[in-house]
């Protein structure tokens, strides 16, 4: 790969025949409602050309692996160099074409990922409230409780498997950009797995509403999330009805219901236009009216989307200046999705968030404007917006290089990748071996990012200040120490892979090898000299044999220091 | 990185300036507190009941005729002489849930005031919106990034600044303490160190700490280096203070559970004189949509843990309570009427407790709006008569000394005439 001087106009788009196939599993919840979007069309291949960059070739590759994925593994930079960086990016833009067998096999350990919602509700039922009360009051022991409601068959197991799957994929998947984008959009369209019936719907949500559209059309993504019972439940739209509805049957019969504005407000503030995107409280009410009747068929039994005509407000609505005629039925909501997904404020808002994710906490305004223009010109083609951002001079600028602080998920996944650790599958159901994915997810949780359990609809913040505080930094250092010392259950680190042929009796060699494999040799002179000074420490370099074994370098501690270094906290 | 430099230019002015600017390790600050060369700070402990506690069960308006007619199976029994399973009467009209009996002595000591019908002017019944508004202090505005406690503390000139000025118990910094004040999130005090062995202090701990410290010692004005330096200052300060040596005193017994454990550690930090000014802890499990229970049951169990934890903290701190105020809060209350699942739904106003030496206690504060149907908010909820910002502003200004001009609640002019008057 050679850095070439090109303008964005040189990005060419070629549509290939239907060769690409989507690997997204189909929904297993029976026939989809008429308006539900089907799996996206086979994606067109995108040819990318990279701009001139002040970064060295190795830096450009490291930068790209850190931003479009969860960081390089030992040998990755060399592999990308051989393939060419532009070619590697092109492949990442079409994840369906990248074989990912290791992940497919690893995910078989998590049966809840693909189970239909009604089956999950039955097989992972909530323990009876009376049992819980007895447990709390001491009338029942933990053992009796376990026998009546085994932990591996309780609802939290579903979120736990999803967390483990996320770590497994982040570490193992060859489709790194798809993982990053799936995480990005889940966060953008956040739901909290702990809220009510969402716990049974959250895996299906990621699998059917988020992942298939992660590099697709924004409108399809917005519609898929709007229809999904997880979102309908999380933002209360399933309970929203026309004013003063009094159901004549069902659990709420005889009790007056009415409009719930929660989803209407969030779809504009957080999902599309942004808080300053130019909507009014009147728009909130009108959008809420448009979505009345979009509900869930028995959330704690069936859990599928349902349109209830009786709950729908049949009056005419006016949304952001567009008139929705009376008796639009379910299509009122679809029309709102069309209006919002094509609004210029949405283009700007989404472009800003993506630029913040890929480039820097302070997104360069000129790049945001170009990305927003791509959004408008392509009718919200996410793939093309991403291409605009990641092939820009701003992306490959010196200012952007290592400018982002890694989130807890990013620090954990990139650490495991950097030392090429094995993430073991969980043992048989009921066994004490929870698997490495779950243990790593618990580490992410401890660092402050409990996955799929972020209560606010804003999702997790994507700026440094949110993740850097004294307690968090200590936890990061302790994670590095625990990982390299093989103290994370189900995760096996063999540092000889990272150290390669370096002679353990020669600490300088070991340090150089670690800096190469973990930081690609891109380390400040201060950090390099501080680490080198550590080599004089008898704890790091044991000159003579002791009860821990023959004299050599404490590679584990040295590797932990590198993983805990300021450089590695950045991507 | 915004104001990171401001907050990290520690030692600016104040008593320790005498010792030389900038170069003093902050663990020496502790010595200043311990030796009395710096006055001990006033302390606020905020406890968040997440999930919207039913204020009408926690502080029962047994004198309101509508209370018992609105609540069939979940009403808490009228005060009965000598019975432990009924409302503990306070003033002939209000009483504490029987599970809250551990707080009755605090009331009798006049160290507990209760503000009933307190809440947000925003009408949202969404937990996260309401919690967010209560923590940012800007009801109805979602774009506020920092919290009111962080803003308040920032406005108080503390000299010298301790890394433990503001502490939140947990792995994440709650919104209420986000901001330029540099608050610390602590899982457990014992774990606040670099550990060679995860969970156990091994021989290599000191060594690994020294290694990391050297890595973060560089003087670059950068969020990582600044925080790194603060981190090791804080670790050293905590080591020299060794808060774990403080066992609960005065016969205080913290109940099992997270809140009790967190409050116990807050007490240890206070006794260790690490310069704590604001501490935050929270407790969940208040969202009782079904099978709420009355004198016994789900809610009673939560209230037991809650009140035993608060009572233990009060006892444990003993005379130190002269400088301490404990403020409880919850995002909103619950419906007055019991729902179809023997529970309650999301409502409006709730009750908040204020405990401590500086409290004008043994009394109900605020105005009771009544529970008759026409007195309810939207015909279903206890109406808000005290805007939570007036309560919080009173505590922040009269206890912590936050100046009136400080942007504690942007867009809201706190009015001392409307303070509920909970502090002496």
């Amino acid at each position: 790969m050679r850095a070439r001087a090109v303008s964005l106009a040189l990005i060419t788009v070629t549509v290939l025949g239907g060769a690409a196939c989507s690997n997204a599993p189909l929904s297993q919840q029976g026939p989809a409602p008429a308006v539900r979007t089907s799996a996206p069309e086979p994606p067109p291949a995108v040819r990318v050309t990279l701009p001139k960059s002040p970064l060295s070739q190795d830096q450009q590759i490291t930068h790209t692996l850190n931003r479009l994925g969860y960081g390089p593994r030992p040998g990755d930079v060399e592999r990308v160099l051989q393939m060419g960086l532009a070619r590697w990016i092109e492949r990442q833009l079409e994840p369906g074409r990248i074989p990912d067998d290791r992940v497919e096999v690893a995910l078989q350990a998590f049966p809840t990922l693909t189970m239909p919602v009604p089956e999950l509700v039955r097989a992972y039922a909530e323990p009876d409230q009376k049992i819980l009360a007895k447990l709390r009051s001491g009338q029942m022991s933990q053992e009796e409780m376990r026998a009546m409601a085994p932990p591996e068959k309780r609802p939290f197991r579903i979120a736990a498997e999803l967390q483990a799957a996320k770590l497994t994929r982040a570490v193992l998947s060859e489709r790194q950009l798809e993982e990053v984008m799936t995480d990005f959009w889940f966060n953008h369209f956040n739901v909290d797995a702990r809220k009510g019936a969402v716990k049974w719907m959250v895996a299906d949500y990621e699998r059917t509403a988020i992942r298939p559209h992660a590099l697709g059309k924004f409108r399809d993504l917005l519609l898929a999330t709007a229809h999904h019972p997880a979102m309908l439940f999380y933002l209360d739209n399933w309970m929203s009805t026309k004013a003063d509805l009094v159901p004549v049957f069902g659990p709420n019969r005889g009790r007056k219901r009415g409009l719930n504005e929660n989803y209407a407000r969030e779809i504009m503030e957080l999902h599309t236009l942004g808080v300053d995107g130019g909507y009014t409280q009147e728009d909130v009410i009108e959008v809420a009216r448009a979505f009345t009747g979009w509900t869930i068929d028995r959330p704690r039994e069936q859990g599928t989307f349902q349109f209830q005509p009786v709950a729908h407000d049949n009056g005419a609505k006016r949304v952001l200046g567009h008139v929705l005629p009376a008796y639009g039925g379910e299509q009122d909501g679809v029309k709102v999705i069309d209006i919002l997904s094509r609004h210029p404020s949405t283009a700007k808002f989404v472009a800003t968030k993506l630029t913040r994710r890929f480039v820097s906490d302070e997104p360069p305004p000129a790049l945001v404007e170009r990305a927003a223009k791509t959004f408008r010109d392509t009718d919200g083609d996410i793939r093309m917006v991403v291409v605009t951002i990641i092939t820009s001079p701003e992306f490959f600028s010196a200012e952007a290089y290592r400018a982002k602080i890694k989130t807890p998920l990013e620090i954990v996944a990139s650490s495991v990748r950097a030392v090429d650790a094995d993430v073991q599958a969980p043992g048989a159901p009921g066994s004490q071996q929870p698997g490495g994915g779950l243990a790593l997810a618990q580490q992410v949780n401890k660092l402050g990012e409990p996955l799929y359990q972020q209560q606010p609809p804003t999702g997790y913040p994507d700026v440094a200040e949110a993740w850097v505080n004294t307690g968090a930094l200590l936890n990061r250092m302790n994670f590095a120490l625990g990982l390299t010392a093989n103290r994370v259950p189900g995760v096996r680190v063999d540092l000889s892979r990272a150290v390669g042929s370096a002679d353990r009796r020669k600490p300088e060699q070991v340090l150089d090898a670690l800096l190469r494999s973990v930081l690609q040799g891109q380390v400040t002179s201060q950090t390099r000299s501080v680490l080198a000074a550590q080599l004089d420490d008898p704890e790091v370099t044991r000159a003579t044999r002791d009860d821990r074994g023959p004299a050599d370098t404490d590679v584990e501690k040295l590797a932990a220091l590198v993983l805990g270094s300021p450089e590695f906290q950045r991507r | 990185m915004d104001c990171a430099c401001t907050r990290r230019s520690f030692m600016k002015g104040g008593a320790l300036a005498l010792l030389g600017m900038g170069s003093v390790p902050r663990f020496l600050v502790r010595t200043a507190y311990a030796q009395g060369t710096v006055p001990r700070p006033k302390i606020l402990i905020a406890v968040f009941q997440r999930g919207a506690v039913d204020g009408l069960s926690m502080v029962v308006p047994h004198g309101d005729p509508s209370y018992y007619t609105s609540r069939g199976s979940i009403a808490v029994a009228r005060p009965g002489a000598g019975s432990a399973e009924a409302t503990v009467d306070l003033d002939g009209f209000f009483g504490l849930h029987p599970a809250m009996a551990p707080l009755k002595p605090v009331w009798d000591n006049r160290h507990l005031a209760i503000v009933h019908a307190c809440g947000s002017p925003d009408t949202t019944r969404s937990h996260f919106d309401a919690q967010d508004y209560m923590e940012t202090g800007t009801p109805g505005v979602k774009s506020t990034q920092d919290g009111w406690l962080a803003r308040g503390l920032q406005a108080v000139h503390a000299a010298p600044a301790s890394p433990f000025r503001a502490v939140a118990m947990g792995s994440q910094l709650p919104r209420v303490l986000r901001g330029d004040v540099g608050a610390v999130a602590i899982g457990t005090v014992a774990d606040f160190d670099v550990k060679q062995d995860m969970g156990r202090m091994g021989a290599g701990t000191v060594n690994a700490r020294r290694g990391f410290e050297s890595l973060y010692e560089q003087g670059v004005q950068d969020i990582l280096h600044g925080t790194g330096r603060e981190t090791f200052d804080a670790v050293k300060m905590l080591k020299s203070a060794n808060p774990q040596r403080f066992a609960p005193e005065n016969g205080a017994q913290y109940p099992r559970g997270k809140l009790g454990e967190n409050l116990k550690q807050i007490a240890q930090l206070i006794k260790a004189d690490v310069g704590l000014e604001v501490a935050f802890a929270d407790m969940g499990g208040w969202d009782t949509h079904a099978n709420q229970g009355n004198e016994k049951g789900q809610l009673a169990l939560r209230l037991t843990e809650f009140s035993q934890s608060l009572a233990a903290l009060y006892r444990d701190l003993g005379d130190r309570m002269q400088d301490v105020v404990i403020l409880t809060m919850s995002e909103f209350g619950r419906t007055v009427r019991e729902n179809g699942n023997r529970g309650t739904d999301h409502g409006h106003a709730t009750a908040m407790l204020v405990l401590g030496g500086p409290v004008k206690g043994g009394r109900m504060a605020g105005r009771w709006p009544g529970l008759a149907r026409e007195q309810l908010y939207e015909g279903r909820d206890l109406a808000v008569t005290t805007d939570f910002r007036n309560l919080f502003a009173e505590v922040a200004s009269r206890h912590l000394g936050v100046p009136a001009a400080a942007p504690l609640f942007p867009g809201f002019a706190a009015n001392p005439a409307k303070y509920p008057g909970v502090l002496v």
Side-chain angles (χ1 to χ4, degrees):
Chain A
M1 200 273 317
R2 287 272 173 278
R4 277 156 278 184
V6 273
S7 74
L8 284 167
L10 283 182
I11 295 168
T12 51
V13 181
T14 319
V15 181
L16 298 181
C21 66
S22 167
N23 267 30
L26 296 169
S27 169
Q28 297 183 18
Q29 295 184 23
V35 292
R36 191 157 183 165
T37 49
S38 54
E41 286 291 295
V46 181
R47 302 297 301 272
V48 304
T49 315
L50 302 177
K52 200 153 126 180
S53 166
L55 304 177
S56 74
Q57 199 165 61
D58 278 6
Q59 283 177 325
Q60 289 181 45
I61 293 173
T62 305
H63 183 62
T64 307
L65 289 170
N66 270 324
R67 298 295 174 95
L68 275 58
Y70 289 97
R73 294 163 299 188
D76 272 1
V77 173
E78 291 76 7
R79 277 187 283 275
V80 176
L81 190 61
Q82 211 163 37
M83 179 191 287
L85 182 54
R87 176 80 193 100
W88 185 84
I89 293 174
E90 285 163 10
R91 273 172 61 82
Q92 289 298 316
L93 290 166
E94 291 178 87
R97 292 165 188 253
I98 306 174
D100 215 7
D101 303 344
R102 271 179 88 190
V103 165
E104 299 297 325
V105 171
L107 294 188
Q108 285 168 10
F110 307 117
T112 61
L113 291 184
T114 49
M115 277 168 75
V117 175
E119 210 175 296
L120 285 172
V121 173
R122 279 194 301 278
Y124 294 82
E126 201 95 77
D128 195 282
Q129 284 293 330
K130 284 174 197 151
I131 298 182
L132 288 178
K134 277 187 182 169
L135 180 75
R136 287 203 198 105
S137 63
Q139 290 173 52
M140 184 187 271
S141 70
Q142 284 284 355
E143 291 69 43
E144 287 171 290
M145 167 80 183
R146 280 177 185 282
M148 290 191 74
E152 67 271 16
K153 285 292 176 191
R154 282 188 231 158
F156 70 77
R157 177 76 195 178
I158 303 166
E161 290 197 356
L162 197 55
Q163 292 179 338
K166 188 174 206 108
L167 266 302
T168 304
R169 286 177 139 133
V171 170
L172 290 183
S173 180
E174 298 299 325
R175 303 167 180 175
Q176 287 278 293
L177 179 61
E178 182 182 64
E179 286 320 304
V180 165
M181 291 303 294
T182 301
D183 180 64
F184 175 86
W185 288 122
F186 191 101
N187 201 48
H188 182 88
F189 294 104
N190 183 50
V191 301
D192 177 2
R194 289 167 309 177
K195 178 169 176 174
V198 177
K199 55 177 82 74
W200 296 295
M201 302 162 172
V202 63
D204 186 81
Y205 179 67
E206 178 172 293
R207 184 167 55 91
T208 66
I210 303 285
R211 184 175 292 277
H213 305 290
L215 283 163
K217 287 276 192 176
F218 182 77
R219 179 194 173 275
D220 298 341
L221 178 61
L222 186 62
L223 185 59
T225 58
H227 260 123
H228 202 280
M231 182 61 80
L232 289 164
F233 196 100
Y234 173 64
L235 290 179
D236 307 321
N237 196 76
W238 73 286
M239 296 192 296
S240 183
T241 71
K242 67 183 176 191
D244 300 337
L245 175 77
V246 181
V248 290
F249 59 88
N252 289 311
R253 62 185 171 278
R255 301 168 59 153
K256 199 164 84 175
R257 317 242 334 250
L259 208 60
N260 187 313
E261 299 170 9
N262 201 7
Y263 179 65
R265 204 180 303 116
E266 304 304 5
I267 193 177
M268 290 194 277
E269 177 181 332
L270 299 173
H271 299 169
T272 60
L273 308 176
V275 67
D276 302 316
Y279 59 92
T280 64
Q281 176 59 26
E282 275 310 300
D283 289 318
V284 172
I285 292 169
E286 296 294 281
V287 167
R289 290 177 62 218
F291 281 113
T292 47
W294 286 44
T295 187
I296 307 169
D297 180 15
R298 291 162 292 157
R300 287 163 198 275
E301 292 169 52
Q302 183 62 26
T304 45
F305 174 81
Q306 187 183 54
F307 180 71
Q308 264 179 15
V310 67
H312 186 69
D313 182 329
N314 278 320
K317 291 123 197 149
R318 192 179 174 85
V319 175
L320 295 162
H322 299 259
V323 174
L324 310 183
Y327 298 102
E330 186 181 350
Q331 286 304 308
D332 280 351
V334 179
K335 281 179 187 156
V336 168
I337 301 260
D338 287 338
I339 294 165
L340 293 177
S341 62
R342 289 175 183 143
H343 195 284
S345 293
T346 301
K348 177 88 184 284
F349 185 62
V350 170
T352 305
K353 274 189 84 167
L354 280 167
T355 307
R356 184 177 294 124
R357 168 61 183 76
F358 284 110
V359 182
S360 87
D361 287 4
E362 304 289 339
L367 178 57
V368 169
E369 182 37 50
R370 296 203 307 277
K373 183 175 187 305
T374 303
F375 189 102
R376 295 191 303 268
D377 291 350
T378 60
D379 195 20
D381 187 325
I382 297 163
R383 190 190 324 266
M384 296 314 298
V385 177
V386 169
V387 167
T388 300
I389 295 167
I390 65 179
T391 60
S392 69
E394 288 93 336
F395 179 84
F396 285 106
S397 68
E399 294 76 41
Y401 184 68
R402 288 209 201 273
K404 293 283 291 187
I405 298 284
K406 290 175 181 173
T407 62
L409 171 64
E410 288 163 356
I411 195 77
V412 168
S414 66
S415 299
V416 175
R417 285 173 66 84
V419 295
D420 206 11
D422 279 329
V423 180
Q424 294 167 357
S431 87
Q432 292 302 305
Q433 163 56 277
L438 202 56
L440 289 172
Q442 281 161 359
Q443 292 292 324
V444 176
N445 184 351
K446 203 172 171 195
L447 297 184
E449 191 184 1
L451 300 166
Y452 304 102
Q453 296 179 356
Q454 170 73 334
Q455 194 195 43
T458 45
Y460 283 106
D462 190 16
V463 289
E465 296 95 272
W467 300 114
V468 181
N469 72 70
T470 52
L473 210 52
L474 274 181
N475 287 336
R476 286 178 181 222
M477 294 169 196
N478 285 327
F479 165 68
L481 284 163
L483 177 70
T484 59
N486 267 314
R487 288 200 181 88
V488 180
V491 181
R492 295 271 67 84
V493 179
D494 176 2
L495 285 169
S496 62
R497 291 190 215 166
V499 174
S501 59
D503 185 347
R504 282 196 174 218
R505 287 165 303 181
K506 296 184 175 144
E508 280 281 348
Q509 266 193 27
V510 175
L511 177 60
D512 280 336
L514 283 172
L515 291 177
R516 251 197 326 276
S517 63
V518 175
L519 290 170
Q520 293 72 48
Q522 293 155 26
V523 58
T524 62
S525 54
Q526 288 123 310
T527 294
R528 175 78 177 72
S529 63
V530 167
L531 287 168
Q534 296 292 310
L535 301 176
D536 298 332
D537 192 312
E539 277 290 326
V540 174
T541 310
R542 298 194 296 272
T544 52
R545 168 183 187 92
D546 63 13
D547 57 0
R548 278 170 290 179
D552 66 2
T553 311
D554 189 343
V555 186
E556 288 72 26
K557 190 175 290 169
L558 210 47
L561 289 174
V562 176
L563 290 175
S565 70
E567 276 88 339
F568 197 75
Q569 304 310 307
R570 298 181 168 279
R571 62 165 172 85
Chain B
M1 210 59 26
D2 58 49
C3 296
C5 309
T6 332
R7 79 173 169 88
R8 294 193 166 95
S9 50
F10 49 85
M11 301 302 177
K12 205 181 263 180
L16 284 197
L18 297 168
L19 297 170
M21 282 263 297
S23 57
V24 185
R26 280 202 280 184
F27 60 87
L28 286 184
V29 173
R30 209 191 74 72
T31 322
Y33 288 120
Q35 292 173 345
T37 46
V38 176
R40 280 173 167 169
K42 299 286 183 192
I43 296 165
L44 172 63
I45 302 168
V47 178
F48 206 122
Q49 296 175 282
R50 292 195 193 273
V53 66
D54 180 16
L56 297 174
S57 286
M58 184 166 71
V59 181
V60 181
H62 62 81
D64 193 305
S66 300
Y67 177 73
Y68 288 96
T69 53
S70 302
R71 298 196 151 192
S73 73
I74 61 161
V76 183
R78 289 176 203 279
S83 168
E85 298 299 331
T87 300
V88 180
D89 185 43
L90 292 176
D91 63 357
F93 187 90
F94 292 102
L96 293 173
H97 188 285
M100 303 270 287
L103 294 178
K104 180 63 165 39
V106 187
W107 173 274
D108 293 338
N109 283 352
R110 302 191 176 278
H111 284 166
L112 166 63
I114 297 169
V115 189
H116 220 317
C118 186
S120 173
D122 192 88
T123 58
T124 181
R125 292 191 177 97
S126 147
H127 290 299
F128 38 69
D129 287 354
Q131 288 180 20
D132 208 34
Y133 295 157
M134 194 157 276
E135 293 188 69
T136 57
T138 55
V141 178
K142 289 193 184 179
S143 51
T144 314
Q145 290 301 310
D146 55 0
W148 68 269
L149 270 175
R151 288 195 298 271
L153 215 43
Q154 186 71 2
V156 182
H157 290 284
S162 158
F164 293 99
R165 259 190 108 179
V167 170
M169 303 306 297
S171 63
Q172 274 178 301
L173 214 50
R175 176 64 60 105
V176 71
L177 280 174
R178 288 247 191 98
D180 291 334
V181 78
V184 183
I186 296 182
T188 56
V189 169
D191 284 341
F192 198 80
D193 196 357
V194 172
K195 291 182 170 187
Q196 180 66 21
D197 297 288
M198 269 162 65
R200 269 180 308 129
M201 298 290 237
T205 292
V206 173
N207 184 268
R209 187 199 301 136
R210 209 182 311 124
F212 280 122
E213 188 180 357
S214 316
L215 278 172
Y216 284 85
E217 230 162 33
Q218 329 290 335
V220 186
Q221 285 294 346
D222 155 295
I223 188 169
L224 271 177
H225 287 295
T227 308
R229 213 162 41 197
E230 282 182 349
T231 300
F232 292 102
D233 271 354
V235 165
K236 273 183 265 180
M237 182 163 166
L238 209 57
K239 278 201 83 63
S240 82
N242 186 19
Q244 288 137 275
R245 73 193 142 110
F246 294 104
E249 293 171 86
N250 310 316
Q253 285 193 318
Y254 290 92
R256 280 170 52 186
K258 208 177 96 202
L259 183 68
E261 188 51 45
N262 285 342
L263 294 188
K264 183 174 122 191
Q265 298 194 23
I266 289 171
Q268 290 176 328
L269 289 172
I270 291 171
K271 291 186 219 174
D273 286 317
V274 295
L276 185 78
E277 290 173 65
V278 166
F280 179 89
D282 54 13
M283 177 178 181
W286 304 104
D287 195 16
T288 47
H289 283 282
N291 303 317
Q292 176 170 317
N294 41 32
E295 301 87 45
K296 286 187 168 171
Q298 207 192 133
L299 180 63
L301 288 166
R302 301 307 283 156
L303 286 173
T304 304
E305 184 184 338
F306 176 72
S307 53
Q308 285 180 355
S309 301
L310 292 178
L313 177 66
Y314 174 81
R315 250 189 123 110
D316 187 5
L317 287 177
D319 289 345
R320 290 296 291 263
M321 282 305 292
Q322 284 313 318
D323 293 325
V324 178
V325 168
I326 307 170
L327 170 68
T328 77
M329 62 188 83
S330 194
E331 66 266 31
F332 46 70
R334 311 194 70 83
T335 48
V336 173
R337 289 194 75 80
E338 174 179 342
N339 70 17
N341 309 109
R342 296 192 302 284
T344 48
D345 294 319
H346 301 179
H348 202 36
T350 191
M352 301 191 190
L353 315 181
V354 192
L355 294 81
V359 172
K360 213 192 285 178
R363 52 186 286 276
M364 299 295 299
R367 184 174 68 78
W368 181 245
L371 291 179
R373 194 173 170 79
E374 66 279 7
Q375 295 169 321
L376 300 182
Y377 173 74
E378 293 186 345
R380 51 173 258 169
D381 301 333
L382 179 64
V384 171
T385 53
T386 300
D387 186 320
F388 76 86
R389 291 172 294 185
N390 277 320
L391 169 62
F392 296 0
E394 181 182 356
V395 173
S397 62
R398 294 203 176 136
H399 182 58
L400 293 179
V402 175
L408 198 59
F409 300 110
F412 175 77
N415 180 358
K418 289 185 177 169
Y419 287 172
V422 290
L423 296 183
V424 176

